[in-house]
Amino acid sequence: MAEPAAEIWARLREATGARIGLGRRGDAPPVAEVLALQLAHARARDAVHRAMDWAAVEAALSPAPLLRVHSAAPDRATYLRRPDLGRRLAPEAAALLSLAERQVVFVLADGLSAAAVEAQAVPLLQACRARLGALVAEPVVLAEQARVALGDEIGEGLGARMVVMLIGERPGLSVAHSLGAYVTHAPRVGRRDSERNCVSNIHPQGGLGTEAAADRIAWLVREGLLRRLTGVALKEDAANSLGGGDGGLLPGAEDGAVR
């Protein structure tokens, strides 16, 4: 006997967050599904436009040394219209950077979802610190109106060998609070996206969890420092990234998209 269509669609829906097999009422989708879609769209819009609660992030990171910087985009509206301005520091922010020998600098950036950063960036940073130990340098940088490439200028100005940017990803209609991590060796202005590694879709709603994401980031950092590269030339070893090996540990070391 053929499997009923309703059961087939039910099994498919369990395998994806996409809106499939919704059924219909007359010539239209069910009202509940229409309302759910409108709610998801509203949450995505809110995530993109809402201002970041930096005070809460600072309080959660206290007493760690912090550095607040701002991109060349003066406000949220400009940031959304001019992605190029979000990739460069405002002149007064660039003047705050002090060049020194640093291993790994972490940048927490609002990106396109403040909610993602507020909920997940601090726990992920702490999990990465637990894995990377003394490799993580001070200060932690908090970047406002930031795109991914802003981390290149920040890392270069601080003299970092590696920069890890934790940034709110562009929200979709299934998840509005997804976090992304971008790992770049020898950061400098002009780095291409192909020269960095991305760990994306970090969120508790069926995405990558904090501990698993920290494992992958730590592996990329260690291996990137060891090989002196990141990007397409650095292929993730799934077994090592999930704790199945030493992941190319440095001697003495205790590892969707916003552009």
Side-chain angles (χ1 to χ4, degrees):
M1 177 183 295
E3 186 175 4
E7 294 182 13
I8 295 174
W9 282 116
R11 286 194 296 104
L12 291 174
R13 282 195 296 270
E14 291 177 356
T16 178
R19 289 175 167 80
I20 60 173
L22 302 180
R24 63 182 182 180
R25 297 295 183 268
D27 294 328
V31 172
E33 298 295 345
V34 173
L35 294 176
L37 178 63
Q38 291 174 344
L39 176 60
H41 185 250
R43 285 174 173 163
R45 288 178 60 87
D46 285 348
V48 168
H49 290 280
R50 187 167 70 79
M52 181 83 182
D53 186 355
W54 290 110
V57 175
E58 289 177 331
L61 290 172
S62 179
L66 305 175
L67 176 63
R68 284 281 301 272
V69 299
H70 198 294
S71 78
D75 51 50
R76 195 64 177 173
T78 305
Y79 168 81
L80 294 174
R81 293 195 309 268
R82 294 284 306 275
D84 58 312
L85 296 180
R87 299 184 182 111
R88 295 303 304 267
L89 286 169
E92 62 273 18
L96 298 175
L97 304 182
S98 59
L99 189 64
E101 289 188 7
R102 293 177 170 91
Q103 292 287 347
V104 184
V105 168
F106 274 78
V107 180
L108 275 56
D110 47 8
L112 290 171
S113 177
V117 183
E118 291 170 1
Q120 300 170 82
V122 172
L124 180 56
L125 170 61
Q126 306 295 24
C128 289
R129 276 177 166 164
R131 289 158 172 77
L132 294 170
L135 289 176
V136 179
E138 297 177 344
V140 174
V141 181
L142 308 182
E144 189 172 357
Q145 313 298 8
R147 302 278 174 168
V148 170
L150 193 71
D152 299 336
E153 187 173 3
I154 293 169
E156 182 178 20
L158 291 176
R161 291 184 63 197
M162 185 88 71
V163 66
V164 180
M165 177 172 272
L166 307 181
I167 188 168
E169 293 185 315
R170 181 178 292 107
L173 294 178
S174 57
V175 177
H177 55 277
S178 181
L179 191 71
Y182 292 81
V183 182
T184 308
H185 177 261
R188 62 177 182 270
V189 175
R191 279 291 193 197
R192 299 184 299 272
D193 287 333
S194 60
E195 296 176 296
R196 62 179 107 256
N197 291 87
C198 173
V199 179
S200 64
N201 203 36
I202 303 169
H203 62 86
Q205 190 180 320
L208 190 65
T210 297
E211 298 301 319
D215 284 340
R216 294 188 182 183
I217 293 166
W219 185 90
L220 289 167
V221 167
R222 292 195 187 106
E223 205 68 16
L225 290 172
L226 190 68
R227 303 185 191 186
R228 300 182 181 181
L229 54 80
T230 48
V232 295
L234 180 60
K235 304 298 184 184
E236 184 179 353
D237 181 328
N240 284 337
S241 72
L242 297 176
D246 65 9
L249 285 174
L250 291 172
E254 295 308 297
D255 244 7
V258 180
R259 299 273 192 310

Coordinates of all heavy atoms in Angstrom, one line a residue, residues 11-63:
R11 N 7.3 13.4 7.2 CA 8.6 12.9 7.4 C 9.6 13.9 6.7 O 10.7 14.2 7.3 CB 8.8 11.6 6.7 CG 8.2 10.4 7.5 CD 8.6 9.1 7.0 NE 8.2 8.8 5.6 CZ 9.0 8.8 4.6 NH1 10.2 9.2 4.7 NH2 8.5 8.6 3.4
L12 N 9.3 14.5 5.6 CA 10.1 15.5 4.9 C 10.3 16.7 5.8 O 11.4 17.3 5.8 CB 9.6 15.8 3.5 CG 9.6 14.7 2.5 CD1 8.9 15.1 1.2 CD2 11.1 14.4 2.2
R13 N 9.2 17.2 6.4 CA 9.3 18.4 7.2 C 10.2 18.2 8.4 O 10.8 19.1 9.0 CB 7.9 18.8 7.7 CG 7.1 19.5 6.6 CD 5.9 20.3 7.2 NE 5.0 19.3 7.8 CZ 4.0 18.8 7.1 NH1 3.8 19.1 5.8 NH2 3.1 17.9 7.7
E14 N 10.3 16.9 8.9 CA 11.2 16.6 10.0 C 12.7 16.8 9.6 O 13.6 17.0 10.5 CB 11.0 15.2 10.5 CG 9.7 15.0 11.2 CD 9.4 13.6 11.7 OE1 10.3 12.7 11.3 OE2 8.4 13.3 12.3
A15 N 13.0 16.8 8.3 CA 14.4 16.8 7.9 C 14.8 18.2 7.4 O 16.0 18.4 7.0 CB 14.5 15.8 6.7
T16 N 13.9 19.2 7.5 CA 14.3 20.5 7.0 C 13.5 21.6 7.7 O 12.4 21.3 8.2 CB 14.0 20.6 5.5 OG1 14.4 22.0 5.0 CG2 12.6 20.3 5.1
G17 N 14.1 22.8 7.8 CA 13.4 23.9 8.3 C 12.6 24.7 7.3 O 11.9 25.6 7.6
A18 N 12.7 24.2 6.0 CA 12.0 24.9 4.9 C 10.5 24.7 5.1 O 10.0 23.7 5.6 CB 12.5 24.3 3.6
R19 N 9.8 25.6 4.6 CA 8.3 25.5 4.6 C 7.8 24.7 3.4 O 7.6 25.3 2.3 CB 7.7 26.9 4.6 CG 7.9 27.7 6.0 CD 7.5 29.1 5.9 NE 7.4 29.7 7.3 CZ 8.5 30.1 7.9 NH1 9.7 30.1 7.3 NH2 8.4 30.6 9.1
I20 N 7.6 23.4 3.6 CA 7.1 22.5 2.6 C 5.9 21.8 3.0 O 5.7 21.6 4.2 CB 8.3 21.5 2.2 CG1 8.7 20.7 3.4 CG2 9.5 22.3 1.6 CD1 9.6 19.6 3.0
G21 N 5.1 21.4 2.0 CA 3.9 20.6 2.3 C 3.0 21.3 3.3 O 2.5 20.6 4.3
L22 N 2.7 22.5 3.2 CA 1.9 23.3 4.2 C 0.4 23.0 4.0 O -0.3 23.4 4.9 CB 2.2 24.8 4.0 CG 3.7 25.2 4.2 CD1 3.8 26.7 4.0 CD2 4.2 24.8 5.5
G23 N 0.0 22.5 2.9 CA -1.4 22.3 2.7 C -2.0 23.6 2.2 O -1.3 24.5 1.9
R24 N -3.3 23.6 2.1 CA -4.0 24.8 1.6 C -5.5 24.8 2.1 O -6.0 23.7 2.5 CB -4.0 24.8 0.1 CG -4.7 23.7 -0.6 CD -4.6 23.8 -2.1 NE -5.4 22.8 -2.8 CZ -5.4 22.6 -4.1 NH1 -4.7 23.5 -4.8 NH2 -6.1 21.7 -4.6
R25 N -6.0 26.0 2.2 CA -7.4 26.1 2.5 C -8.0 26.8 1.3 O -7.8 28.0 1.1 CB -7.6 27.0 3.7 CG -7.0 26.3 5.0 CD -7.8 25.1 5.4 NE -7.3 24.5 6.6 CZ -6.3 23.6 6.7 NH1 -5.7 23.2 5.6 NH2 -5.9 23.2 7.9
G26 N -8.7 26.1 0.4 CA -9.2 26.6 -0.8 C -8.0 26.9 -1.7 O -7.2 25.9 -2.0
D27 N -7.8 28.1 -2.2 CA -6.7 28.4 -3.1 C -5.5 29.1 -2.4 O -4.6 29.5 -3.0 CB -7.2 29.4 -4.2 CG -8.2 28.7 -5.1 OD1 -8.1 27.5 -5.3 OD2 -9.1 29.4 -5.6
A28 N -5.5 29.1 -1.0 CA -4.5 29.8 -0.3 C -3.9 28.8 0.8 O -4.5 27.9 1.2 CB -5.1 31.0 0.4
P29 N -2.7 29.2 1.3 CA -2.2 28.4 2.4 C -3.0 28.6 3.6 O -3.8 29.6 3.8 CB -0.8 29.0 2.6 CG -0.5 29.8 1.3 CD -1.8 30.2 0.8
P30 N -2.9 27.7 4.6 CA -3.7 27.8 5.8 C -3.3 29.1 6.5 O -2.1 29.6 6.5 CB -3.2 26.6 6.7 CG -2.8 25.6 5.7 CD -2.2 26.4 4.6
V31 N -4.3 29.7 7.2 CA -4.0 31.0 7.9 C -2.9 30.9 8.9 O -2.1 31.8 9.0 CB -5.3 31.5 8.6 CG1 -5.0 32.7 9.5 CG2 -6.4 31.8 7.6
A32 N -2.8 29.8 9.6 CA -1.8 29.7 10.6 C -0.4 29.7 10.0 O 0.6 30.3 10.6 CB -1.9 28.3 11.4
E33 N -0.2 29.1 8.8 CA 1.1 29.1 8.1 C 1.4 30.5 7.6 O 2.5 31.0 7.6 CB 1.1 28.1 7.0 CG 0.9 26.7 7.4 CD 2.0 26.2 8.3 OE1 3.1 26.8 8.3 OE2 1.8 25.1 8.9
V34 N 0.4 31.2 7.1 CA 0.6 32.6 6.6 C 1.0 33.5 7.8 O 2.0 34.3 7.7 CB -0.7 33.2 6.0 CG1 -0.5 34.7 5.7 CG2 -1.0 32.4 4.7
L35 N 0.4 33.3 8.9 CA 0.8 34.2 10.1 C 2.2 33.8 10.6 O 2.9 34.7 11.0 CB -0.3 34.0 11.2 CG -1.7 34.5 10.9 CD1 -2.6 34.1 12.1 CD2 -1.7 36.0 10.7
A36 N 2.5 32.5 10.6 CA 3.8 32.1 11.0 C 4.9 32.7 10.1 O 6.0 33.1 10.6 CB 3.9 30.6 11.0
L37 N 4.6 32.7 8.8 CA 5.6 33.3 7.9 C 5.7 34.8 8.1 O 6.9 35.4 8.1 CB 5.1 33.1 6.4 CG 6.0 33.7 5.3 CD1 7.4 33.1 5.4 CD2 5.4 33.5 4.0
Q38 N 4.7 35.5 8.4 CA 4.7 36.9 8.6 C 5.5 37.2 9.9 O 6.2 38.2 10.0 CB 3.3 37.5 8.7 CG 2.6 37.5 7.4 CD 1.1 38.0 7.5 OE1 0.6 38.0 8.6 NE2 0.5 38.3 6.3
L39 N 5.3 36.4 10.9 CA 6.0 36.5 12.2 C 7.5 36.3 12.0 O 8.3 37.1 12.5 CB 5.5 35.5 13.2 CG 6.2 35.5 14.6 CD1 6.1 36.9 15.3 CD2 5.7 34.4 15.5
A40 N 7.9 35.3 11.2 CA 9.3 35.0 10.9 C 9.9 36.2 10.2 O 11.1 36.6 10.4 CB 9.5 33.7 10.1
H41 N 9.2 36.8 9.2 CA 9.7 37.9 8.5 C 9.9 39.1 9.4 O 10.9 39.8 9.3 CB 8.7 38.2 7.3 CG 9.2 39.3 6.4 ND1 8.6 40.6 6.4 CD2 10.2 39.3 5.5 CE1 9.2 41.3 5.5 NE2 10.2 40.6 5.0
A42 N 8.9 39.3 10.3 CA 9.1 40.4 11.2 C 10.3 40.3 12.1 O 11.0 41.2 12.4 CB 7.8 40.6 12.1
R43 N 10.5 39.0 12.6 CA 11.7 38.8 13.5 C 13.0 39.0 12.7 O 13.9 39.6 13.3 CB 11.6 37.4 14.0 CG 10.6 37.1 15.1 CD 10.5 35.7 15.5 NE 9.6 35.5 16.6 CZ 9.1 34.3 17.0 NH1 9.3 33.2 16.2 NH2 8.3 34.3 18.0
A44 N 13.0 38.6 11.4 CA 14.2 38.9 10.6 C 14.5 40.4 10.4 O 15.6 40.8 10.6 CB 14.1 38.2 9.3
R45 N 13.4 41.1 10.2 CA 13.5 42.6 10.0 C 14.0 43.2 11.3 O 14.9 44.1 11.3 CB 12.2 43.2 9.5 CG 11.9 42.9 8.1 CD 10.5 43.5 7.7 NE 10.6 45.0 7.9 CZ 11.0 45.8 7.0 NH1 11.4 45.4 5.8 NH2 10.9 47.1 7.2
D46 N 13.4 42.8 12.4 CA 13.8 43.3 13.7 C 15.3 43.0 14.0 O 16.0 43.9 14.5 CB 13.0 42.7 14.8 CG 11.6 43.3 14.9 OD1 11.3 44.3 14.2 OD2 10.7 42.7 15.6
A47 N 15.7 41.8 13.7 CA 17.1 41.4 13.9 C 18.1 42.3 13.1 O 19.2 42.7 13.6 CB 17.3 40.0 13.5
V48 N 17.7 42.7 11.9 CA 18.6 43.5 11.0 C 18.7 44.9 11.6 O 19.7 45.6 11.6 CB 18.1 43.5 9.6 CG1 18.8 44.5 8.8 CG2 18.4 42.1 9.0
H49 N 17.5 45.5 12.0 CA 17.4 46.9 12.3 C 17.7 47.2 13.8 O 18.1 48.3 14.1 CB 16.1 47.4 12.0 CG 15.8 47.5 10.5 ND1 16.3 48.6 9.7 CD2 15.2 46.7 9.6 CE1 16.0 48.4 8.4 NE2 15.3 47.2 8.4
R50 N 17.6 46.2 14.7 CA 17.7 46.5 16.1 C 19.1 46.8 16.5 O 20.1 46.2 16.1 CB 17.2 45.3 16.9 CG 17.1 45.6 18.4 CD 16.4 44.5 19.2 NE 17.1 43.3 19.2 CZ 18.1 43.0 20.1 NH1 18.5 44.0 20.9 NH2 18.6 41.8 20.1
A51 N 19.2 47.8 17.4 CA 20.6 48.3 17.9 C 21.1 47.2 18.9 O 20.3 46.6 19.6 CB 20.5 49.6 18.5
M52 N 22.4 47.1 18.9 CA 23.1 46.2 19.8 C 23.1 46.7 21.3 O 23.3 47.9 21.5 CB 24.5 46.0 19.3 CG 25.3 45.0 20.1 SD 25.0 43.4 19.6 CE 26.1 42.5 20.8
D53 N 22.9 45.8 22.2 CA 23.0 46.2 23.6 C 24.5 46.0 24.1 O 24.8 45.0 24.7 CB 22.0 45.4 24.5 CG 22.0 45.8 25.9 OD1 22.8 46.7 26.3 OD2 21.2 45.3 26.7
W54 N 25.3 46.9 23.7 CA 26.7 46.8 24.0 C 27.0 46.7 25.5 O 27.9 46.1 26.0 CB 27.6 47.8 23.4 CG 27.6 47.7 21.9 CD1 27.0 48.5 21.0 CD2 28.3 46.7 21.1 NE1 27.3 48.0 19.7 CE2 28.1 46.9 19.8 CE3 29.1 45.6 21.5 CZ2 28.6 46.1 18.8 CZ3 29.6 44.8 20.5 CH2 29.3 45.1 19.2
A55 N 26.2 47.5 26.3 CA 26.4 47.5 27.8 C 26.3 46.1 28.4 O 27.0 45.7 29.3 CB 25.4 48.5 28.4
A56 N 25.3 45.3 27.9 CA 25.1 44.0 28.4 C 26.3 43.1 28.0 O 26.8 42.3 28.9 CB 23.8 43.4 27.9
V57 N 26.8 43.3 26.8 CA 28.0 42.5 26.4 C 29.2 42.9 27.3 O 30.0 42.0 27.7 CB 28.3 42.7 24.9 CG1 29.6 42.0 24.5 CG2 27.1 42.2 24.1
E58 N 29.4 44.1 27.5 CA 30.5 44.6 28.3 C 30.5 44.0 29.7 O 31.5 43.6 30.3 CB 30.6 46.1 28.3 CG 31.0 46.7 27.0 CD 31.0 48.2 27.0 OE1 30.2 48.8 27.8 OE2 31.8 48.8 26.3
A59 N 29.2 44.1 30.3 CA 29.1 43.6 31.6 C 29.4 42.1 31.7 O 30.0 41.6 32.7 CB 27.6 43.8 32.1
A60 N 29.0 41.3 30.7 CA 29.2 39.9 30.7 C 30.7 39.5 30.5 O 31.1 38.5 31.0 CB 28.4 39.2 29.5
L61 N 31.4 40.4 29.9 CA 32.9 40.2 29.7 C 33.7 40.7 30.8 O 34.9 40.4 30.9 CB 33.3 40.7 28.4 CG 32.8 40.0 27.1 CD1 33.1 40.8 25.9 CD2 33.4 38.6 27.0
S62 N 33.2 41.6 31.6 CA 34.0 42.2 32.7 C 34.6 41.2 33.6 O 33.9 40.1 33.9 CB 33.0 43.2 33.5 OG 33.7 43.8 34.5
P63 N 35.8 41.3 34.1 CA 36.7 42.5 34.0 C 37.7 42.4 32.8 O 38.8 43.1 32.9 CB 37.4 42.5 35.3 CG 37.6 41.1 35.6 CD 36.4 40.4 35.0

